[in-house]
């Protein structure tokens, strides 16, 4: 394997290896830091705040309910079907402290998608926002679910804000459809019942599974990545070590707009900021850009994570430039490639560059990050974080020379145990020596920095030449009339495949001819789209990443 040439890019004081034994489990991490930072704010949402002491107490009560009332045995799965609310971290840590396994579920899933994930995981209980509970009624009898724990948005807010928030959600917003479950209980009631019983401490070891995180992964069909306590602890320590020179313990305030049920936000925001005594400001609906900008204007914050589409949408709001960025130290982009044009505008408006990183669900997720002392967007995904090896390999699994394009492969303590109940799929991606074959294409420079090019499965082959959709999209969004773009391959009689570009306009006057002329200046002839289709919007996943296979 290539020597760790990337270590020379590390900022002073960042070690090549981290102490993977700093915490025995996520439970120990929570308990130690809740004690250490007990009086500091840990989480805020919808006008309410939980201190670290509050988080410890509420999660303890929920864990006791799961143990003593539901009587779930160690290793049982509990699904969380929640947006960013205070209830999410309380439920998340409660499940873990009861010795159980969290199954993260996107509450926007259709009943068909939900049924598949709940049945595959064997979840015995689910915590669900009441406005989404009706979806469960269509299939609950065919699953192992024994309990449905429903919650309203304001359940952990102080009165009277709690009552007002819930009344608005239930009646004014008309967001709750009536449904009944035999084993349903309200979240607040579960906390009360748990609070009157003792929590039995469960012996958790690093190899115990903490989380089933479902992903299309490297092979398409959604599978549950088994992330152990050890995997997640390692990635939290790796990430906290990387940001430790810039962000200080007990003082940082992070904007958390991406859903916590997504592994990027869960690790980079919730878990990492808890490990440094930071304050997470949870955004329940980041799609409401006007409300998010208004919140940013009245809020002091020092860090923010996001994806390309979110950054782009924020900067296209007329009031975003009025936000006070004087305390902002760090902006991290992940989940999808950040376009150079978006990064350039972000730096101009905020004064802070977007620090791009790279990861995937199967690696808990962080693998690479740019050093935090960069002054401008680099276009690279950075260098491997401590205790992580990266190798670029060909289709035969052989390591390629520096500068050659191949599959990005990863080895480190954050790499998953495997896919839940899918040993054959696991064997396809975790190979000899513990290397995870990511399905992503890129190359490594002589200084150890890595360039992400695209997903291997998204590569378009035009007359034998490879075209990477990211390159086409990046060229398109440079045009001032383009808001968003997505490229994919379509069948073509002459060249097997051709490039088709889907575009959302920023300037309604933009024509296909004008954009095509721009692309011909930016791209080699075979990379230029054969067809351009204008759309009002592009299909996106829960964190705002364009879903190419849904482009039709």
């Amino acid at each position: 394997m290539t020597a760790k040439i990337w270590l020379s890019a590390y900022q002073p004081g960042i070690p090549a290896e981290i102490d993977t034994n700093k915490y025995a489990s996520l439970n120990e991490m929570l308990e130690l830091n809740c004690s250490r930072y007990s009086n500091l704010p840990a989480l805020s949402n919808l006008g309410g705040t939980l201190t670290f002491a509050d988080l410890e107490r509420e999660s303890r009560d929920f864990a006791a309910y799961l143990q003593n009332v539901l009587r779930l045995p160690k290793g049982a799965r509990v699904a969380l079907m929640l947006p960013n609310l205070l209830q999410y971290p309380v439920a998340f840590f409660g499940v873990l402290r009861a010795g159980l396994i969290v199954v993260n579920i996107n509450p926007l899933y259709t009943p068909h998608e939900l049924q598949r994930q709940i049945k595959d995981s064997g979840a015995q209980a689910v915590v669900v926002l009441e406005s989404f509970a009706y979806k469960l009624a269509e299939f609950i009898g065919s699953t192992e679910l024994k309990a449905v724990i429903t919650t309203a948005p304001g359940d952990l807010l102080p009165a009277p804000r709690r009552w007002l928030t819930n009344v608005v959600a239930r009646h004014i917003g008309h967001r709750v459809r009536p449904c009944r479950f035999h084993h349903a209980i309200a979240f607040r009631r579960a906390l009360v019942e748990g609070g009157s019983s003792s929590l039995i401490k469960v012996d958790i070891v690093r190899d115990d599974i903490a989380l089933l995180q479902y992903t299309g992964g490297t092979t398409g069909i959604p599978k549950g990545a088994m992330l152990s306590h050890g995997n997640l602890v390692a990635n939290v320590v790796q990430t906290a070590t990387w940001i430790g020179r810039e962000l200080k313990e007990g003082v940082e305030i992070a904007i958390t707009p991406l859903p916590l049920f997504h592994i990027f936000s869960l690790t980079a925001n919730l878990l990492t900021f808890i490990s440094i005594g930071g304050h997470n400001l949870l955004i329940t609906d980041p799609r409401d850009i006007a409300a998010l900008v208004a919140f940013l204007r009245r809020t002091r914050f020092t860090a923010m994570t996001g994806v390309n589409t979110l950054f782009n949408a924020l900067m296209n709001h007329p009031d975003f430039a009025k936000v006070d960025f004087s305390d902002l130290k760090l902006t991290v982009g992940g989940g999808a490639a950040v376009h150079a044009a978006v990064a350039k505008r972000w730096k101009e408006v905020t004064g802070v560059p977007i620090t791009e990183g790279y990861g995937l669900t199967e690696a808990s997720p962080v693998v690479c990050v740019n050093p935090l002392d960069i002054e401008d967007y680099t276009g690279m995904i950075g260098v491997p974080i401590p205790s992580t090896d990266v190798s670029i390999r060909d289709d035969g699994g052989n390591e390629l020379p520096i500068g050659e394009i191949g599959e990005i492969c990863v080895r480190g303590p954050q790499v998953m145990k495997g896919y839940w109940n899918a040993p054959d799929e696991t064997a396809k991606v975790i190979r000899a020596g513990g290397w995870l074959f990511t399905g992503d294409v890129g190359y490594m420079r002589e200084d150890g920095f890595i360039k992400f090019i695209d997903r291997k499965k998204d590569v378009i082959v035009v007359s034998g030449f490879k075209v990477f959709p990211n390159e086409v999209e990046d060229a398109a969004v440079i045009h001032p009339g383009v808001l968003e773009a997505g490229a994919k391959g379509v069948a073509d009689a002459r060249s097997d495949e051709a490039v088709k570009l889907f575009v959302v306009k920023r300037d309604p006057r933009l024509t296909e001819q004008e954009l095509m002329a721009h692309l011909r200046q930016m791209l080699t002839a075979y990379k230029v789209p054969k067809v351009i289709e204008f759309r009002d919007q592009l299909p996106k996943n829960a964190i705002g990443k364009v879903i190419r296979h849904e482009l039709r």
Side-chain angles (χ1 to χ4, degrees), residues 71-77 98-101 202-205 208-209:
R71 298 188 179 281
L72 296 177
K74 179 182 177 181
R77 276 77 65 203
L100 311 175
I101 297 171
V202 181
D203 184 26
I204 297 293
V205 298
D208 284 332
I209 300 171

Side-chain angles (χ1 to χ4, degrees), residues 31 34 51-61 97:
E31 291 164 14
C34 282
T51 65
F52 279 86
D54 294 332
L55 176 60
E56 193 284 327
R57 182 186 67 255
E58 302 281 17
S59 63
R60 190 222 72 89
D61 290 352
R97 296 179 76 183

Side-chain angles (χ1 to χ4, degrees), residues 45-46 62 81-91 126-133 148-158 160-171 175-177 185-191 284:
N45 174 249
L46 300 179
F62 189 63
M81 193 172 154
L82 299 168
N84 286 7
L85 298 167
L86 296 176
Q87 293 90 308
Y88 180 92
V90 168
V126 59
V127 185
V128 58
L129 186 65
E130 60 182 16
S131 57
F132 299 114
V148 177
I149 303 162
T150 60
T151 189
D155 275 356
L156 291 184
L157 303 179
R161 182 181 289 272
R162 176 174 71 250
W163 308 326
L164 178 62
T165 300
N166 290 344
V167 165
V168 169
R170 288 169 178 158
H171 303 293
R175 296 174 185 167
V176 179
R177 298 190 194 180
I185 186 172
F187 188 77
R188 286 180 60 80
R189 180 63 188 171
L191 293 179
T284 303

